[in-house]
Amino acid sequence: MTDEQFNAAMIRLRDKDKQALKEIYEAYLSFIFHVVLDIVKNRETAEDIASEFFIKLWERAGQYKEGSGHRGYLATIARKI
C-alpha cells in the first residue's frame, strides 16, 4: 500500500468505513505481527497484540496526520500497545 492509498484508507477509516479497516488489516497484519513478535518474543502474545492493534487503529483514526510515513506510524502504535 502506498502512502497515498494508506492516507485515503485512513480518511475512510475516520468515517468508520469498515472496508478501509479490512484493507489496512490485510495489507499490514504480517508487518504488525512481526514488529510485535520482535518485542514480546512469544507468538501467541504477538497474535493477541496484533489484533488489539487494529482495534486501536480504528479508535485513533482521527489522530492520524498525513505525511508522517505510514509504516513508521503503524510501527509506533504497535510498539506502544
Side-chain angles (χ1 to χ4, degrees):
M1 186 175 276
T2 66
D3 281 334
E4 292 80 21
Q5 290 169 324
F6 184 80
N7 291 340
M10 287 301 291
I11 290 168
R12 293 175 28 230
L13 194 60
R14 277 183 257 180
D15 294 333
K16 303 301 182 197
D17 182 336
K18 291 179 183 175
Q19 182 62 34
L21 181 63
K22 181 180 177 187
E23 291 167 14
I24 294 169
Y25 176 87
E26 289 174 352
Y28 292 103
L29 176 60
S30 178
F31 172 70
I32 297 303
F33 172 77
H34 285 96
V35 167
V36 173
L37 182 61
D38 190 49
I39 296 166
V40 300
K41 309 292 190 216
N42 179 288
R43 195 167 189 80
E44 288 179 19
T45 302
E47 289 171 356
D48 291 342
I49 293 171
S51 294
E52 289 176 35
F53 166 87
F54 290 97
I55 294 168
K56 293 288 185 196
L57 186 65
W58 175 266
E59 295 170 349
R60 297 179 184 180
Q63 299 172 4
Y64 176 70
K65 306 279 188 278
E66 289 186 35
S68 59
H70 73 277
R71 288 178 65 89
Y73 172 78
L74 295 173
T76 299
I77 293 173
R79 289 183 185 107
K80 291 182 180 181
I81 293 180

